[in-house]
Structures are given as C-alpha cells and as structure tokens.
Amino acid sequence: MKKSFLFLFLMTLPLVAMSQYFNSGNFRCRFDGTKVAILGLSNEAFAAGLTSITIPGYVEYEGTYYKTRVAISAFLYNSTLQNITVNYGCEAIEGNAFKDCSALKWVRLPSSVTFISNDAFLTVIDYIRHKNKHNFPDNYQNNTIAFKNHKPTITRNNGYIEDQSSYTDMFYGVKPVSYNGCGVIATYNVLYHLTHKTDIDFPSIIRELEYDGIILNGLFGTAMRAIEDYFKKLGYETMSSCKKADYDKIGKETDASVLVVYNNKEDITEAIHYMAITKKDGIYNVHNNGRN
C-alpha cells in the first residue's frame, strides 16, 4: 500500500529577548524590552495546585504597563489546570504553551492574540476538536445530491477538486464547503491521487470529519490532526512536521501530502488554508490553491 504523509507547515515568527525576571501575581515573568513574557506559575501558585487561572493582558514593570505573551512551554505538563482565560492585551501564545495539560477543559483567548505558534496552535485546535458539540443537521443526504452536479467538473480537472468557491451547495457543519471546506477537499484530493478511484464518496469524507475533526461546527474548518487520523484509519502510515526544511525529504519520499498555511502569518484570525500536493514523474502539483 502506498503511504500517505500529512505535512503541516505553519509559519512562525522570531522573537528577540532582552530579559529581566520577576513575579507578578501568580506568574513568573520576564521583561524583554517591549513585552512581558508569562513564563508559567510562580512557585507558590504551582504549589497551591490552581485549577483556574487568568493570564493578564498587561503587566506592570518598573512603573509602566506592557502587553504580554505566553512563553514557550509556560504551562507544559501542568496536571491541575482546568480553565485558562487569557485577558485582552496578550498578543502571542508560543510553542507548547499548554501542551499535555491533562486536566484542561477550556481555554479562552482574546481577539488581541494574533500569533499562536505551530505547536500551541495544534494543541488548542485539537483540544477544541475533541470538545466540539455537533449543533448542525445531518448534511449527508443533501451533499450526496449536490455532489452529482460537481462530478463533470472534477472529471475535467483530471479527478481533483480545484474549484472550492463553487461548492456553495454542499455543507460542512453549519457553513458551505466554499467557506470552510479546504481541509475536506485536500483529503479528497490526496485520497484520489493515492487510489485513482473515480467513485470516492466525497460526502462520506465530509461526514467522517464532521463526526471527528470539525472545529466550532465548521466556523473554523478542520483540525489538522483529524486529517492525519483519517488516513491512519484507512491504513496509511503518516507523519507530520511544522518544519519547512522537512518538506524536501517528505516530498522526495511520498506521492502526496497536505500542506497547511496561514492565510496571514501575522494574524491567526484570518484562519488557515489546506492544499493537497501531489507528485507525478518528479513534478509537484498543488490542488485547490485558493485562487478559484
């Protein structure tokens, strides 16, 4: 069986440090010249086994209030935190900030957060995925009828879905596929490339990822790890990476992959886009690249 590799590539931003360490309330902090990094809980707060915390959006340092960011591995492996609220003013959530917080029930982020690192983003999105409540109708029957109208275009496109913007008549959760369906389309395109079966049931892929993968009933598309899990269920070996350099190796060793990019690497509220990348005779092809 051919292998399907899921490759996750999300842009990261550099951070420069000029550091001064101090405590503020329940948190260990570091002043880096322009912002205060929240490094984690203070010794006293950690010993108290807090279950709920509110991360400040602004912290005072030497008489001036500065915006905050949640530093790398700030709450890594914390086993007591259940509820985390990040106040307005905080601008960034860095790598592994909430990773392996085994008791975590919810994380509330403000609109001021415009950067989440790859690892932290995956952790939060996967958390939301597993807590998702399915408040939308069963779309399968409607999607099955509507999909028949798209098959002639798919045939003209050599078996691939390239025109997401035309899928206004099929739904993924509460939104049309034209709005949020890049993840399910990438899944379809990779599966077609690996099998070359013309009878792949796209509505079934949608239903499967609606059951385990959709984010906020479709308002935020699909969880990245859900696509990887989908291929694992089909018996494919998978791997993932957030490192740009890894793609050279992945590209050489595989026939297809899923590339995930920020629409705007400086503002996560503009969401992400999935694209299937296939290879034939050493030539890479990008499908549903967002231009249609």
Side-chain angles (χ1 to χ4, degrees):
M1 179 177 289
K2 293 182 178 179
K3 297 180 180 180
S4 170
F5 291 88
L6 175 66
F7 172 69
L8 309 178
F9 169 36
L10 305 173
M11 301 299 292
T12 56
L13 300 177
L15 292 168
V16 179
M18 181 183 68
S19 303
Q20 298 291 332
Y21 294 87
F22 63 100
N23 280 0
S24 178
N26 288 325
F27 303 98
R28 294 182 293 109
C29 302
R30 182 180 67 217
F31 178 62
D32 291 339
T34 58
K35 292 183 179 67
V36 170
I38 305 298
L39 304 178
L41 294 174
S42 66
N43 292 336
E44 294 79 6
F46 182 81
L50 298 179
T51 59
S52 298
I53 59 171
T54 298
I55 297 172
Y58 295 86
V59 168
E60 182 181 8
Y61 178 73
E62 294 187 346
T64 301
Y65 282 89
Y66 295 90
K67 293 181 177 180
T68 62
R69 58 184 177 85
V70 181
I72 294 173
S73 303
F75 303 99
L76 180 67
Y77 300 130
N78 186 294
S79 61
T80 62
L81 285 177
Q82 298 179 24
N83 307 311
I84 299 175
T85 298
V86 181
N87 277 351
Y88 186 85
C90 181
E91 293 186 332
I93 310 294
E94 298 179 11
N96 296 322
F98 308 128
K99 184 177 181 181
D100 293 329
C101 291
S102 56
L104 193 62
K105 293 182 178 179
W106 55 261
V107 178
R108 180 175 296 169
L109 302 178
S111 59
S112 59
V113 173
T114 56
F115 170 73
I116 300 183
S117 77
N118 303 334
D119 293 327
F121 186 78
L122 289 172
T123 298
V124 172
I125 289 298
D126 217 42
Y127 160 76
I128 297 173
R129 163 196 172 190
H130 291 298
K131 298 296 182 181
N132 189 62
K133 295 181 179 179
H134 298 84
N135 297 319
F136 51 83
D138 186 351
N139 293 315
Y140 181 75
Q141 184 174 357
N142 172 77
N143 286 344
T144 298
I145 296 171
F147 185 54
K148 294 178 181 179
N149 299 323
H150 294 279
K151 287 187 175 181
T153 302
I154 293 174
T155 299
R156 289 195 297 270
N157 288 328
N158 299 313
Y160 299 96
I161 298 177
E162 306 283 10
D163 54 335
Q164 179 181 342
S165 61
S166 70
Y167 281 70
T168 56
D169 54 347
M170 295 183 68
F171 278 77
Y172 181 46
V174 298
K175 291 289 186 177
V177 171
S178 58
Y179 172 83
N180 64 2
C182 58
V184 291
I185 288 174
T187 303
Y188 176 94
N189 285 337
V190 167
L191 189 59
Y192 171 74
H193 187 78
L194 294 172
T195 64
H196 292 290
K197 292 182 178 179
T198 58
D199 60 347
I200 294 174
D201 188 3
F202 184 42
S204 289
I205 294 175
I206 292 174
R207 183 170 59 180
E208 178 73 17
L209 290 173
E210 281 180 332
Y211 176 75
D212 182 17
I214 199 169
I215 299 298
L216 300 177
N217 294 315
L219 295 176
F220 206 78
T222 307
M224 285 154 280
R225 289 195 176 110
I227 296 178
E228 184 175 14
D229 290 344
Y230 176 83
F231 282 103
K232 286 180 178 179
K233 289 179 182 178
L234 294 179
Y236 291 98
E237 295 180 11
T238 70
M239 64 182 299
S240 60
S241 177
C242 295
K243 298 178 181 179
K244 182 178 180 180
D246 287 347
Y247 193 68
D248 290 336
K249 178 181 178 181
I250 292 174
K252 290 178 181 178
E253 296 181 356
T254 63
D255 293 324
S257 59
V258 175
L259 183 69
V260 188
V261 296
Y262 288 127
N263 288 320
N264 181 349
K265 69 177 182 179
E266 296 181 352
D267 188 353
I268 63 167
T269 64
E270 295 188 21
I272 57 180
H273 185 65
Y274 293 80
M275 295 172 285
I277 298 181
T278 60
K279 185 176 64 174
K280 184 178 181 180
D281 299 326
I283 298 176
Y284 294 95
N285 296 288
V286 181
H287 303 281
N288 191 41
N289 59 17
R291 295 180 180 178
N292 297 315

